[in-house]
Amino acid sequence: MDTLWTSIVNGLHSVGIHLGVGAANGAGGQVGAGVGEAASRLDMPGLLALAAALGWASGFRLYAVVFIVGMAGWIGWMPLPSGLQVLQHPALLATSGALVFVEFFADKIPGLDSLWDMVNSVIRIPAGAALAAGALGADGSTMALVGALLGGSLAATAQAAKTTTRAAINTSPEPFSNVVMSFVEDGLVVAIVWLASNHPLIFAGVAVVAVLLMWFVTWTLFRFLRAVFRRAQSFFSSATA
């Protein structure tokens, strides 16, 4: 962050704004101290919470997770483990930001949202596993495997709950419930990452309750959708008879 701040100061100098070396060093030192203090909170409970959050949120909004975490690490709001520092790369930030823009609108159009979910289900679960493994894998392959299993399982759970919920909502002709649910998911991703980063123990309790609830919702809505499909199949069969 000192290097980043110095680059900013040099850029200001080039347009005639002079802060002085002392200001640059002082501000850079304050930012560095803040990052160092935040990094000290990345103990094992914090890393486990971060890994779980990355996997869970990836099942809802993978690209938003990559962009938010990468941007937070780049500007110094969140110290990232070595396995996740690639998220700070400008090319990855630009790519994930563009995909966030596309997904924001695609996810709010009935029908298109379910198609988007099916297409992205191929990448959300393995990417959630990879992100969680990156959060835990700095100290060895065993913890990386633990992270991959944790993140992949949570991503699959979230993906299943999201897909079945959206499919059930799309059986209604009005589009408003779909848009509302999409905005809820947008806010949920931010809340998950924030809670895991700042209150890992509280996040653990919330995550356990949420996972149980997602399992229940997925099973209930799956049975509902199966009944809807059976009625539709019966209707078309009788219509063609």
Side-chain angles (χ1 to χ4, degrees), residues 17-41:
I17 301 175
H18 303 282
L19 296 179
V21 177
N25 291 338
Q30 291 177 359
V31 173
V35 173
E37 180 182 354
S40 65
R41 298 198 301 266

Side-chain angles (χ1 to χ4, degrees), residues 66-90:
V66 173
F67 181 76
I68 291 171
V69 175
M71 183 61 69
W74 185 72
I75 63 180
W77 287 354
M78 178 191 299
L80 299 184
S82 59
L84 296 178
Q85 290 179 3
V86 66
L87 303 182
Q88 303 174 183
H89 194 283

Side-chain angles (χ1 to χ4, degrees), residues 22 92 126 138 162 175:
L92 191 55
K162 172 183 170 65

Side-chain angles (χ1 to χ4, degrees), residues 118-161:
M118 287 189 292
V119 172
N120 285 274
S121 63
V122 179
I123 188 175
R124 282 175 181 163
I125 297 173
L131 289 173
L136 292 177
D139 296 332
S141 58
T142 300
M143 290 307 298
L145 180 58
V146 170
L149 292 174
L150 176 65
S153 298
L154 289 173
T157 299
Q159 168 71 27

Side-chain angles (χ1 to χ4, degrees), residues 38 41-43 45-47 49-50 53 72 77-79 190-204:
R41 298 198 301 266
L42 285 178
D43 51 7
L47 288 173
L50 179 60
W77 287 354
M78 178 191 299
V190 177
I192 288 172
V193 175
W194 178 85
L195 187 61
S197 303
N198 292 274
H199 305 286
L201 296 181
I202 297 177
F203 168 81

